[in-house]
Amino acid sequence: MEGGPVSRLAYGIQLPVQSQSTLYTERWEAAAGPADLVETARAVDRAGFAYLACCDHVAIPRRLAPAMSTVWYDPVATLAHLAAVTERVRLLSHVAVVGLRHPLLSAKQYATLDHLSGGRLVLGVGAGHVREEFEVLDVDFDRRGAVLDEAIDALRSALGPEEFPEHHGKLYDFADLGQRPRPAQEHVPIWIGGSSPAAVRRAALKGDGWLPQGDPRDRLPDRIGRLKALREEAGIEAPLTVGAITEPLYVGRAGWDVGRRTLSGAPEEIAASLRAYRAMGVHQIQVRFRSRSRSELIDQIGAFGAEVAPRLD
């Protein structure tokens, strides 16, 4: 899933049920629960997806609840639960608002998750956008970008190989404090979310990957060009996994209104459209399927893995 010439377009998915914003939630998810989440994760694992993803919000203020809902499963607990019922799919936090927690606390949780899952964690991080979450946890919302910048540096150390990690910064200072178990991976990939100029710069200079927030296709080439230019200027030669979130998908001819933005049709039609992402320099696409039930979603996941994915290259 990492940089260089894009020879294979990987595909992942943010799971249903675990976050229920009105922007993307299907009606059936309101009555869904853990069994639906588990069966969907198993289907994703069988279908060859590179990763499954969960979101992160601590608490939603009443003013935002009508649009965002208050259904946001905890990413560490959810990904750990799903690690136990899957075999190979990677586990992505998309995205963890790590500035809300001390880096040693986040490191303890995510290192344990990586250890338990056999090295399947991808740590996606972002600055956050809900002021009240920061205020109630006594974190400065207006400085969340600077907080995230240092949190990433601290997490690099805390998720590294050393039993006694060390970091000395303006916000966090620790040494001589041991944490085991260590992550199973020698290097836990950190993917950075966001499409603002600051987020793109952060991803370029501090990330192993970039997770845009729904940028339309016509904006991606400029963003990707900026990422490459910033890394070249900084002399960073390590590969960067560039992501994209696709339009909603429906494999086949839907017998119901899937919305005008939804990309639907025969597998080759969908694959031909998605191959344009690879041509832009995208390494992984995050897909989402329209569905009216868990069974329809699982059918869509299976159809994509069997009929669309082999045509992406």
Side-chain angles (χ1 to χ4, degrees), residues 206-217:
K206 292 180 175 288
D208 301 300
W210 176 54
L211 293 164
Q213 298 301 300
D215 294 68
R217 292 191 189 205

Side-chain angles (χ1 to χ4, degrees), residues 1 7 15 32 39 44 53 55 87 96 138 144 155 185 196 205 214 232 238 241 253 263 274 306:
M1 283 192 290
S7 58
L15 291 174
E39 290 308 311
V44 166
C55 300
E87 296 180 358
D138 199 26
R144 65 193 184 281
L155 282 165
Q185 298 177 86
S196 69
L205 300 182
E232 288 174 6
T241 301
R253 302 297 177 187
L263 180 60
L274 296 179

Side-chain angles (χ1 to χ4, degrees), residues 13-248:
I13 188 171
Q14 188 174 121
L15 291 174
V17 181
Q18 54 84 31
S19 71
Q20 297 193 22
S21 165
T22 57
L23 290 175
Y24 47 73
T25 301
E26 301 287 4
R27 290 182 180 178
W28 66 268
E29 294 177 54
D36 303 283
L37 201 54
V38 165
E39 290 308 311
T40 303
R42 285 173 169 159
V44 166
D45 199 32
R46 290 193 302 268
F49 281 60
Y51 66 80
L52 55 80
C54 292
C55 300
D56 181 26
H57 277 291
V58 171
I60 306 301
R62 195 178 297 273
R63 69 180 177 88
L64 296 177
M68 291 181 65
S69 91
T70 58
V71 179
W72 297 86
Y73 286 34
D74 177 78
V76 178
T78 305
L79 292 173
H81 181 63
L82 298 177
V85 297
T86 55
E87 296 180 358
R88 48 148 300 279
V89 68
R90 301 203 76 173
L91 311 163
L92 170 66
S93 56
H94 188 178
V95 288
V97 186
V98 292
L100 293 175
R101 307 162 180 91
H102 192 284
L104 283 180
L105 175 59
S106 293
K108 168 58 71 175
Q109 295 173 312
Y110 283 105
T112 303
L113 172 58
D114 194 64
H115 178 80
L116 290 173
S117 67
R120 290 195 273 152
L121 172 67
V122 179
L123 181 58
V125 302
H129 67 93
V130 178
R131 178 178 289 274
E132 288 91 336
E133 284 184 304
F134 284 75
E135 290 175 344
V136 76
L137 296 171
D138 199 26
V139 181
D140 189 342
F141 178 79
D142 293 324
R143 296 188 65 239
R144 65 193 184 281
V147 171
L148 176 57
D149 284 339
E150 188 174 331
I152 293 168
D153 294 339
L155 282 165
R156 288 280 187 205
S157 174
L159 291 172
E162 298 299 324
E163 180 181 354
F164 292 88
E166 187 169 342
H167 173 81
H168 303 288
K170 294 180 179 179
L171 301 171
Y172 308 113
D173 190 290
F174 54 84
D176 302 319
L177 293 166
Q179 288 189 329
R180 295 183 68 184
R182 305 308 303 153
Q185 298 177 86
E186 290 186 10
H187 176 84
V188 174
I190 297 179
W191 290 1
I192 296 174
S195 295
S196 69
V200 171
R201 182 176 182 81
R202 183 177 296 118
L205 300 182
K206 292 180 175 288
D208 301 300
W210 176 54
L211 293 164
Q213 298 301 300
D215 294 68
R217 292 191 189 205
D218 60 356
R219 293 185 190 172
L220 283 171
D222 285 345
R223 300 268 201 270
I224 294 168
R226 180 64 175 155
L227 286 165
K228 291 179 178 177
L230 286 166
R231 285 176 80 83
E232 288 174 6
E233 289 170 13
I236 301 172
E237 297 181 357
L240 179 76
T241 301
V242 174
I245 299 176
T246 75
E247 304 84 352

